[in-house]
Amino acid sequence: MAEPHVSPAVHDVRARHEFRGLRTAEHFFTVPLVHPPAEGQGTSETIKVFAREYSSTEHSAEAAARLPWLLFLQGGPGGRGNRVTSLSGWMKAAAKDFRILMLDQRGTGLSTPIERQSLELQGDAAAQAEYLTHFRADSIVADAEYIRQVLGSPPWSVLGQSFGGFCALTYLSFAPEGLREVLITGGLAPLHGPADRVYQATFRRVAARNAEYFSWYPEDREKLTRIIRHLEQQPEFLASGERLTPERFQMVGSYLGGNTRVDALHYLLEDAFITTASGERLSEAFLEQVRGLVSRASNPLYAVLHESIYGQDEATNWAAWRVLEDFPEFTPEAEEPLLTGEMVYPWYFEQDPSLSPLREVAERLAAKKDWKPLYDIERLAANTVPTAAAVYKDDIYVDHDLSLETAAAVRGLQPWVTSEFHHDGIGEDGEGIFGRLFGMVRATR
């Protein structure tokens, strides 16, 4: 990756704060929209990328300024960096040895954020779709490497969670010279093949997780079916005025993706029904909780770009929707419908008012055939950057088998396979997981 021309205007450090054992600084970087401009297609367009620096007050300000950087790449796509008010979990462990740079990936948080209103500034649906092609892992990594050089940092350490791990593999592919070591949690992406095989694996994992959940809470099996049948027969509306359909309700299966949240699904379902003058209805308390789970108003990029994170040289063409035909137990019409996971379907852009203005944009991205490669297979096979990854055996979002396939393709990558955690393991025991992976990469030096 070429060295950028760095001007003093590209980096602005604004507010600094100190509270509850941590020290923060707000960094704004001006970066090119396209890294580098396509041949014969020069551009001066730039965007802002925000990152917040965290360090521990156990170090003096002077000592903290001399610590090496650890870049954290958040899950997603479309998720902003964590906002924390104290150092705990993996951050507490990392702050002993690092300054942490918490990146708002481009298009999220304070990094030239993308919502349907701001996207309208780009023009028609074709222009909006073209603009969004610059918000995938390759561009996020190019931003990160640009920022590293602006900061004058030697090769830095990277921790990638979920989609952040996908980005870390892209970083290893195209700018390994910028990396000292890489830690990945629940984020070993498949390096090749259509998105279809991702969802073939994902649907099987989610079905198994449904079965596991209903073995713990057998009474919820009947409750879930009852809610879906009710929604088929009785219109129910969220506080925003939009109808809650059976298939949209199935999205609450996002609770199944972790140890720290799965039991909360039972508490959600127990609030479902209330007796009213007009008969049995879904309670407002229940509907309000569901609204936060089924709306993409706060992160539309998640839905719009979700399948594009697998796109390489071919169209994704609504892979999850097509693969669903092989798994009829996930349809509302099934005798005992199952809850879904993170899959994105075309009807999202009809039923979610925050997404409906982006329907044509999403269709264009789903049909795009000429996605650039996200990984360099040969370079990964010759990797020399110490890399360790936590692979969760029962992860319903990033398949264990596909993860190990990737691990075998990256020279020197050390997988730690565990059934103790699910996709949210870093939230359950971040300190322990970080410590283990950090120890693994440092042991190879």
Side-chain angles (χ1 to χ4, degrees):
M1 192 170 288
E3 293 283 328
H5 173 70
V6 178
S7 135
V10 304
H11 181 206
D12 181 18
V13 182
R14 300 185 188 174
R16 296 179 183 271
H17 301 284
E18 187 173 315
F19 53 93
R20 281 186 291 282
L22 61 80
R23 196 181 288 112
T24 71
E26 298 173 359
H27 297 261
F28 288 83
F29 303 89
T30 302
V31 307
L33 174 65
V34 181
H35 296 273
E39 186 176 349
Q41 192 181 37
T43 179
S44 59
E45 187 171 359
T46 60
I47 60 174
K48 290 287 187 183
V49 171
F50 172 78
R52 183 173 276 110
E53 173 187 348
Y54 291 98
S55 61
S56 172
T57 56
E58 291 184 2
H59 305 286
S60 68
E62 295 76 15
R66 294 192 295 270
L67 291 173
W69 289 102
L70 172 71
L71 174 71
F72 181 71
L73 295 172
Q74 174 67 294
R80 70 178 188 173
N82 298 334
R83 271 61 173 164
V84 304
T85 57
S86 63
L87 291 173
S88 61
W90 72 265
M91 292 185 70
K92 180 179 179 181
K96 296 175 183 177
D97 300 291
F98 295 99
R99 283 183 287 173
I100 299 165
L101 195 66
M102 184 70 66
L103 183 69
D104 278 359
Q105 297 165 11
R106 53 168 56 197
T108 74
L110 299 179
S111 295
T112 308
I114 290 178
E115 296 184 356
R116 57 186 174 84
Q117 300 96 323
S118 62
L119 200 54
E120 291 172 355
L121 297 172
Q122 300 302 318
D124 63 13
Q128 292 176 36
E130 172 59 28
Y131 182 70
L132 289 174
T133 64
H134 304 301
F135 287 77
R136 297 201 309 156
D138 50 350
S139 297
I140 293 167
V141 165
D143 289 343
E145 182 60 5
Y146 188 92
I147 288 168
R148 181 188 69 83
Q149 295 172 31
V150 169
L151 292 174
S153 171
W156 58 8
S157 304
V158 168
L159 170 61
Q161 157 66 11
S162 189
F163 172 67
F166 291 28
C167 294
L169 288 168
T170 301
Y171 212 147
L172 285 168
S173 294
F174 299 118
E177 67 277 6
L179 299 170
R180 181 184 184 187
E181 59 211 351
V182 171
L183 313 180
I184 295 173
T185 55
L188 287 182
L191 301 179
H192 56 82
D196 300 48
R197 72 186 192 124
V198 172
Y199 292 105
Q200 288 283 351
T202 299
F203 275 114
R204 288 193 293 270
R205 296 274 180 197
V206 178
R209 187 64 163 165
N210 270 264
E212 185 175 34
Y213 175 81
F214 292 125
S215 73
W216 299 332
Y217 297 101
E219 67 273 29
D220 287 354
R221 176 61 275 177
E222 183 277 333
K223 176 71 71 65
L224 176 65
T225 302
R226 185 175 155 208
I227 293 170
I228 291 175
R229 299 294 172 250
H230 174 86
L231 289 170
E232 290 173 340
Q233 299 164 14
Q234 173 65 59
E236 294 278 7
F237 296 89
L238 304 176
S240 54
E242 57 204 274
R243 183 172 179 178
L244 178 62
T245 61
E247 59 268 29
R248 204 164 173 205
F249 167 69
Q250 288 174 278
M251 294 168 64
V252 303
S254 59
Y255 271 125
L256 299 175
N259 280 344
T260 60
R261 299 182 69 221
V262 65
D263 297 296
L265 175 59
H266 176 68
Y267 300 138
L268 170 71
L269 296 178
E270 72 181 6
D271 286 339
F273 288 102
I274 189 170
T275 301
T276 74
S278 59
E280 190 173 62
R281 301 296 299 269
L282 295 181
S283 74
E284 290 188 1
F286 173 78
L287 291 170
E288 183 60 20
Q289 293 174 77
V290 169
R291 184 179 67 85
L293 297 168
V294 305
S295 172
R296 291 297 176 199
S298 64
N299 60 342
L301 279 185
Y302 181 90
V304 178
L305 289 180
H306 192 79
E307 288 195 358
S308 78
I309 68 177
Y310 302 109
Q312 299 188 93
D313 300 317
E314 61 184 325
T316 55
N317 194 25
W318 300 112
W321 182 240
R322 289 184 291 101
V323 171
L324 178 64
E325 294 182 4
D326 298 331
F327 296 89
E329 62 269 33
F330 284 95
T331 63
E333 297 78 23
E335 184 177 351
E336 293 187 320
L338 300 183
L339 294 170
T340 58
E342 64 174 3
M343 304 79 161
V344 173
Y345 307 120
W347 55 257
Y348 276 28
F349 296 86
E350 300 169 1
Q351 297 188 16
D352 187 336
S354 66
L355 295 179
S356 56
L358 301 175
R359 181 178 179 180
E360 185 179 348
V361 176
E363 291 286 357
R364 287 178 174 272
L365 292 172
K368 182 178 172 62
K369 298 179 180 178
D370 57 345
W371 290 112
K372 296 178 180 178
L374 293 168
Y375 312 107
D376 185 326
I377 305 298
E378 292 184 2
R379 205 164 193 181
L380 291 174
N383 174 57
T384 60
V385 178
T387 304
V391 177
Y392 306 127
K393 189 173 181 181
D394 301 310
D395 195 330
I396 69 169
Y397 296 136
V398 181
D399 182 69
H400 160 270
D401 294 339
L402 294 179
S403 294
L404 291 184
E405 176 186 290
T406 295
V410 181
R411 181 175 179 268
L413 188 153
Q414 303 176 75
W416 167 43
V417 181
T418 175
S419 58
E420 185 177 354
F421 303 103
H422 277 257
H423 195 68
D424 62 349
I426 198 172
E428 184 173 4
D429 184 16
E431 192 168 1
I433 291 172
F434 178 87
R436 177 154 186 163
L437 295 179
F438 188 46
M440 289 167 68
V441 294
R442 286 296 168 95
T444 65
R445 291 189 178 280

